[in-house]
Amino acid sequence: IAYDDGERETRVAKRLIRSKDGGGSSSDSFREGDKIEARYRGREKYYPGKIDRDRRDGTYDIAYDDGERETRVEGRLIRAKESSSSSSGEKFYLGDKVDARYRGREKYYPGKVGRAHADGTYDIDYDDGEKETRVEERLIRKRERGSSRSRSRGADDRLSEGDKVEADYRGRGKFYPGKITRDRGDDTYDISYDDGERETRVAKRLIRSTGGGGGGSDRLEEGDKVEADYRGRGKFYPGKITRDRGDDTYDISYDDGERETRVAKRLIRKLDGGSSGGRLREGDRIEADYRGRGKFYPGKITRDRGDDTYDIDYDDGERETRVAKRLIRSKEGSGGSSKLEEGDKVEARYRGREKYYPGKITRDRGDGTYDISYDDGERETRVEERLIKKKDGGGGSDSFREGDKIEADYRGRGKFYPGKISRDRGDDTYDIDYDDGERETRVSKRLIRKKDRSRSRSRSPRGGGRLREGDKIEADYRGRGRFYPGKIDRDRRDGTYDIAYDDGERETRVEERLIRKKGGSRSPSPKRGRKLREGAKVQARYRGRSKFYPGRIERDRGDGTYDIYYDDGEKETRVAEDLIKSADSGSDRSRSRSRSPSRGRMRVGTRVEARYRGKSRYYPGKISRVRADGTFDVSYDDGESETRVLAEYIKSSGGGGSSRGDSRSPRGRRGSRLSEGDSIEARYRGRSKYYKGKIRRDRGDGTFDIDYDDGEQETRVLEEYIRPRGGSGGGRDVSVPKFRRGERIEARYRGRAKYYRGRISRERGDSLYDIDYDDGESETRVAAHLIRSLESGASGISSLD
């Protein structure tokens, strides 16, 4: 025998062979291509498919409709598919409207029969322009599902892939929302649940459709403004219908630039103000019964799940998902009744952003959207009405704008704290920056009140006059509470201005209430009726600070501002006249000088004690710079430095002025003045040991530049650190304390101002020590003047005093 599957066998006994005839066995025999149902892998349930191959041994290969394949299935596990469809006239003719599974895929596409072949296959012309030849009859179904489909959910209404449904998950008795991801063709379906779970082959009886009811009555048309569930993700995005495919699917152009084709009608909802009144939308301000406890809390819709449940962000920071619509109520805004008209002054959220910008309506599109021309020159078309609010003086008093000075009930505790609005969320909540540095987001409008400034406004030099471009003004820079001088650079025509500040900063859209004109009310005292002239000696408040510094007028700008050269070398341009006073106030300066502890003029290098930052305690140091305004820069012995220290905060080290100086100086200031070229010994970098060298330069301020014999160089060495080479009078008058190995000490790590505890690990000689700090750090060759003992109290710093 030559078997059909290619095998061969010889000398087969007759008893092992039976004739193949069409007698009684025909009923159990199937032909290749027959539509059948088979018990897949011997299971109890039958699945539809077709005979792919007849093995000629009573077994068959089957291609199932759901894509599975099985070989050598016994005939007893197969049954013919009832021919009800063919007997009921399920024959297709030229021109018939049909749905067909393009290239055998799971999804049906609309089209019509272009040709009927004699072998039971058809050519299909699809509505989207595609063509397909010889499509098998099993892949085609007639398209005659009118309104009955939307009304009926019986057995004849077939579920389609992508349908929003609720299903009894694993037959537990509770239905969960999701969508059909695959139609298995045997009244079972694969479902992707909204909570992320998946389930395959769910029986149709366990599924119910979540149809929207009234939504199906109104026909969508090309150009309609809609919201659609983009790619079935569960979130709706605004756009418009660009094409009606004629099969209840539509092409959509989304407002954010995305496009989508063949979107099912059930995934689309019309955007019109009338019908959507009962429908909640993403971003709507609402109140909801949090977790069904009976109390409503304010918040907003963050996601529409499409099954009458919503995700909510509450104003107090809580979040809740899948809140039933019956637990939510809309927060009405009473002012919405006024209709917007062309020419109306409005504020709108440009491109849907959070911040409102002023402009006017240039065109009413008649579909609830408007074209807007913004005051800053920008234009925007088809802006939704919900993003626009009318600009009118009446209701505006209850509204807050970004930058407004306010008081707010911080976290609803009942006490109001001052601050300013940093962001308008557009939903009657605001972000606030409090004056004490705290921040709070999404504060409800009812917890905020405006800061009453009636007294300050009455004092404003502006009066009620309109600010004009070029006006000299003072403005509260970024709402910080302090005014800086500048001028109006641009009038935005919406009550805000761009400002160019005198210090070079720029700021745009500053509100008029934060600006005051530079008037004459404060100027008489500094000017004293006299015009400042170029070259005049003056004192001015540098960069608007409270303290006056001496200098001279370099240039009169002719607009009430001046350029000033300060005596300390600084320069400032366009200083306002009210920040300048004539340098005639000699009496107070002479008084401060007579009070000076030095009883004479202090020079650079003079050893002093000063009250660091005006504190009560005096710290040793030296004068590093003499300022022409009677103040001094001080370098402290602990490494700190301070500029412009008042004379009354300084006293000479040790009192008695000159006597102390004589005892310290190696020369005693007895006329043996150091000269350039002198051979000397100096304490290099203030250390205790003297090194040989010679004077290279006399700076004339009590300091000298030195070239050491070992090649080192040092500039501005104090006179008290230098002695003539070999002079007996100098001796070694510096007593440097000794520290022993293991002694507990404090040292200024790397010469910093702060002392750290440790222990002497090694004495290097020459008053240098290695230290092991308690925090694990170590340091080598630390000079004695940076160390003080915790046992004996000895301090190396005294050797430098």
Side-chain angles (χ1 to χ4, degrees):
I1 298 174
Y3 293 99
D4 290 347
D5 60 4
E7 293 291 327
R8 302 179 75 85
E9 193 176 12
T10 60
R11 297 185 180 278
V12 181
K14 183 176 180 180
R15 63 185 175 79
L16 300 176
I17 306 170
R18 65 187 178 195
S19 176
K20 205 172 171 193
D21 54 52
S25 66
S26 64
S27 62
D28 295 327
S29 180
F30 302 101
R31 292 183 301 169
E32 293 179 6
D34 279 357
K35 299 290 254 177
I36 51 87
E37 288 179 324
R39 286 163 56 189
Y40 179 65
R41 296 195 176 176
R43 296 172 185 167
E44 293 301 317
K45 189 173 178 180
Y46 284 85
Y47 295 91
K50 69 171 182 178
I51 301 295
D52 192 45
R53 180 176 177 185
D54 181 357
R55 292 282 183 172
R56 309 296 181 188
D57 58 356
T59 64
Y60 303 87
D61 294 353
I62 297 177
Y64 291 97
D65 291 350
D66 59 7
E68 295 289 334
R69 302 183 74 85
E70 192 176 13
T71 59
R72 298 191 179 278
V73 181
E74 297 178 29
R76 65 185 178 82
L77 300 175
I78 307 171
R79 68 185 181 194
K81 206 169 181 186
E82 299 85 21
S83 56
S84 59
S85 61
S86 57
S87 63
S88 64
E90 193 73 2
K91 184 82 174 168
F92 304 108
Y93 300 96
L94 183 65
D96 277 357
K97 293 275 192 181
V98 294
D99 289 326
R101 285 164 53 189
Y102 179 64
R103 296 195 176 174
R105 296 172 185 166
E106 295 298 321
K107 189 173 178 181
Y108 284 85
Y109 295 90
K112 64 179 179 179
V113 175
R115 181 178 175 186
H117 292 280
D119 58 357
T121 62
Y122 301 86
D123 294 352
I124 307 286
D125 295 338
Y126 291 97
D127 290 351
D128 59 5
E130 293 289 331
K131 290 178 177 286
E132 191 176 14
T133 59
R134 298 194 176 276
V135 181
E136 297 179 30
E137 189 175 340
R138 67 183 177 84
L139 300 175
I140 308 170
R141 67 186 181 197
K142 266 201 173 169
R143 203 192 329 157
E144 46 190 13
R145 294 180 171 85
S147 57
S148 61
R149 262 188 89 186
S150 62
R151 265 187 235 107
S152 169
R153 286 192 5 232
D156 58 322
D157 183 17
R158 187 151 188 91
L159 296 170
S160 304
E161 293 176 9
D163 280 356
K164 288 285 192 180
V165 296
E166 287 179 334
D168 184 356
Y169 180 63
R170 298 196 175 175
R172 294 174 180 171
K174 187 173 178 181
F175 283 80
Y176 295 88
K179 68 174 181 179
I180 304 290
T181 55
R182 182 174 178 185
D183 179 356
R184 292 283 182 170
D186 57 355
D187 280 343
T188 65
Y189 302 87
D190 294 355
I191 296 178
S192 175
Y193 291 97
D194 291 348
D195 58 7
E197 293 291 328
R198 292 177 170 274
E199 192 175 12
T200 59
R201 296 191 180 279
V202 181
K204 186 174 179 180
R205 64 184 174 79
L206 298 176
I207 306 172
R208 64 189 183 199
S209 178
T210 56
S217 60
D218 54 337
R219 177 80 179 166
L220 297 171
E221 297 178 3
E222 294 180 7
D224 280 355
K225 295 293 268 183
V226 295
E227 285 181 328
D229 185 355
Y230 180 64
R231 297 196 176 174
R233 294 174 180 169
K235 188 171 180 181
F236 284 79
Y237 296 88
K240 68 174 180 179
I241 304 289
T242 55
R243 182 176 175 187
D244 179 355
R245 292 281 182 171
D247 57 356
D248 279 344
T249 64
Y250 302 85
D251 294 355
I252 296 178
S253 175
Y254 291 96
D255 292 349
D256 59 6
E258 293 290 329
R259 292 177 169 275
E260 192 175 12
T261 59
R262 297 192 176 281
V263 181
K265 184 176 179 180
R266 64 189 171 72
L267 299 176
I268 306 171
R269 61 190 183 201
K270 254 194 176 176
L271 263 177
D272 50 37
S275 60
S276 66
R279 183 79 183 171
L280 296 170
R281 292 188 299 174
E282 292 175 10
D284 280 358
R285 295 294 300 168
I286 50 86
E287 288 179 325
D289 184 356
Y290 180 63
R291 298 198 175 176
R293 295 173 180 170
K295 187 174 178 182
F296 283 80
Y297 295 88
K300 72 172 182 179
I301 304 290
T302 56
R303 181 174 176 188
D304 178 356
R305 292 282 183 169
D307 57 357
D308 279 342
T309 65
Y310 302 86
D311 294 356
I312 297 176
D313 279 354
Y314 291 97
D315 292 348
D316 59 6
E318 292 291 328
R319 290 173 171 272
E320 193 174 11
T321 59
R322 297 191 177 282
V323 181
K325 186 175 179 179
R326 63 185 174 79
L327 298 176
I328 306 171
R329 65 189 182 199
S330 182
K331 236 175 153 182
E332 288 87 24
S334 57
S337 59
S338 58
K339 178 74 175 171
L340 296 171
E341 297 177 3
E342 294 181 6
D344 280 355
K345 288 282 194 181
V346 296
E347 287 180 332
R349 285 163 54 189
Y350 180 63
R351 296 195 176 174
R353 296 171 185 164
E354 295 296 326
K355 189 173 177 181
Y356 284 83
Y357 295 89
K360 69 175 181 179
I361 304 288
T362 56
R363 182 176 175 187
D364 180 354
R365 292 281 181 171
D367 56 358
T369 64
Y370 301 85
D371 294 356
I372 296 179
S373 176
Y374 292 97
D375 291 348
D376 59 6
E378 293 289 331
R379 302 179 76 85
E380 191 176 13
T381 59
R382 296 192 178 279
V383 182
E384 295 179 35
E385 190 170 1
R386 66 186 176 85
L387 300 175
I388 307 170
K389 62 185 181 186
K390 254 195 175 175
K391 214 173 156 190
D392 48 33
S397 62
D398 295 327
S399 183
F400 301 104
R401 291 191 293 177
E402 293 178 8
D404 278 358
K405 291 284 192 181
I406 49 87
E407 288 179 324
D409 184 357
Y410 180 63
R411 298 200 174 175
R413 295 173 180 169
K415 188 173 178 182
F416 283 80
Y417 295 88
K420 70 171 181 178
I421 303 291
S422 60
R423 181 174 177 186
D424 178 357
R425 292 281 182 170
D427 54 4
D428 280 343
T429 65
Y430 302 86
D431 294 357
I432 296 178
D433 287 347
Y434 291 97
D435 292 348
D436 60 5
E438 291 291 327
R439 301 175 77 89
E440 192 174 12
T441 59
R442 297 192 179 280
V443 181
S444 176
K445 185 176 177 178
R446 64 186 174 79
L447 299 176
I448 306 172
R449 65 189 181 198
K450 271 199 173 170
K451 214 169 172 185
D452 188 12
R453 294 188 174 185
S454 57
R455 284 198 298 271
S456 64
R457 279 192 182 153
S458 65
R459 244 188 268 137
S460 173
R462 189 168 73 240
R466 176 81 180 168
L467 296 171
R468 292 181 301 172
E469 293 179 6
D471 280 357
K472 296 299 282 182
I473 50 87
E474 287 180 323
D476 185 355
Y477 180 63
R478 296 197 176 175
R480 294 175 180 167
R482 187 170 174 187
F483 284 80
Y484 295 87
K487 69 174 182 178
I488 302 292
D489 192 44
R490 180 177 176 187
D491 181 356
R492 291 280 183 171
R493 308 294 179 192
D494 58 355
T496 65
Y497 301 86
D498 294 355
I499 296 177
Y501 290 97
D502 292 348
D503 58 6
E505 293 289 329
R506 302 182 76 84
E507 191 175 13
T508 59
R509 296 191 178 281
V510 182
E511 296 178 31
E512 190 170 0
R513 65 186 177 76
L514 299 175
I515 307 170
R516 63 189 181 201
K517 263 192 176 173
K518 262 174 126 177
S521 60
R522 295 191 334 191
S523 57
S525 60
K527 278 200 285 192
R528 296 186 180 88
R530 283 188 321 188
K531 180 76 174 171
L532 297 170
R533 292 179 302 169
E534 293 180 4
K537 289 281 190 181
V538 295
Q539 289 182 326
R541 286 163 54 190
Y542 179 63
R543 294 199 175 175
R545 297 173 184 163
S546 56
K547 189 173 178 183
F548 284 85
Y549 297 91
R552 65 184 173 86
I553 302 291
E554 188 211 358
R555 180 178 175 188
D556 180 356
R557 292 279 182 172
D559 56 359
T561 64
Y562 301 86
D563 294 355
I564 296 180
Y565 266 150
Y566 291 96
D567 292 348
D568 60 5
E570 294 290 333
K571 183 176 178 179
E572 191 175 14
T573 60
R574 296 191 180 278
V575 181
E577 193 168 359
D578 55 0
L579 298 176
I580 307 171
K581 66 182 181 182
S582 182
D584 296 338
S585 50
S587 57
D588 57 343
R589 286 178 67 186
S590 64
R591 196 158 54 246
S592 69
R593 279 190 182 159
S594 67
R595 247 188 264 133
S596 176
S598 62
R599 297 185 180 86
R601 185 165 179 83
M602 285 185 281
R603 297 187 304 161
V604 173
T606 302
R607 296 293 301 173
V608 295
E609 288 180 339
R611 286 163 54 188
Y612 179 62
R613 295 194 177 174
K615 296 174 182 173
S616 58
R617 185 176 170 187
Y618 284 86
Y619 295 87
K622 65 179 179 179
I623 303 294
S624 59
R625 181 174 180 182
V626 179
R627 299 276 183 175
D629 58 354
T631 62
F632 303 87
D633 293 358
V634 178
S635 293
Y636 292 97
D637 292 345
D638 60 5
E640 294 290 332
S641 60
E642 192 174 12
T643 60
R644 297 190 182 278
V645 182
L646 296 175
E648 52 261 38
Y649 292 162
I650 306 173
K651 66 182 182 182
S652 179
S653 284
S658 61
S659 63
R660 181 175 168 86
D662 289 342
S663 66
R664 279 191 67 170
S665 172
R667 297 171 307 286
R669 286 199 183 94
R670 297 187 190 98
S672 82
R673 173 90 180 155
L674 295 171
S675 305
E676 294 179 4
D678 283 358
S679 290
I680 50 87
E681 289 178 331
R683 286 163 55 188
Y684 179 63
R685 296 197 176 174
R687 295 174 183 164
S688 57
K689 185 175 179 181
Y690 284 86
Y691 295 88
K692 295 179 180 181
K694 67 177 181 178
I695 304 290
R696 174 165 53 87
R697 180 179 175 187
D698 181 355
R699 291 278 180 173
D701 57 358
T703 63
F704 301 86
D705 295 354
I706 297 177
D707 289 341
Y708 290 98
D709 292 349
D710 60 4
E712 293 289 332
Q713 293 189 337
E714 192 174 13
T715 59
R716 296 192 180 277
V717 181
L718 295 176
E719 192 172 355
E720 51 261 42
Y721 292 166
I722 307 171
R723 67 185 182 191
R725 193 185 296 183
S728 61
R732 184 172 282 269
D733 56 347
V734 180
S735 61
V736 180
K738 289 272 189 181
F739 303 99
R740 70 180 187 279
R741 182 177 177 181
E743 185 173 355
R744 292 287 297 165
I745 51 89
E746 286 182 326
R748 285 163 50 195
Y749 179 64
R750 296 197 176 175
R752 295 173 184 163
K754 187 175 178 181
Y755 283 85
Y756 296 87
R757 295 194 173 196
R759 192 182 297 273
I760 301 292
S761 60
R762 179 179 177 187
E763 182 182 352
R764 292 274 183 177
D766 195 18
S767 299
L768 298 175
Y769 300 88
D770 293 357
I771 297 176
D772 288 340
Y773 291 97
D774 291 350
D775 60 6
E777 293 289 333
S778 61
E779 192 175 12
T780 60
R781 298 186 181 278
V782 181
H785 71 275
L786 299 174
I787 307 171
R788 62 190 182 198
S789 176
L790 290 174
E791 298 176 5
S792 65
S795 175
I797 192 67
S798 60
S799 68
L800 299 180
D801 291 340

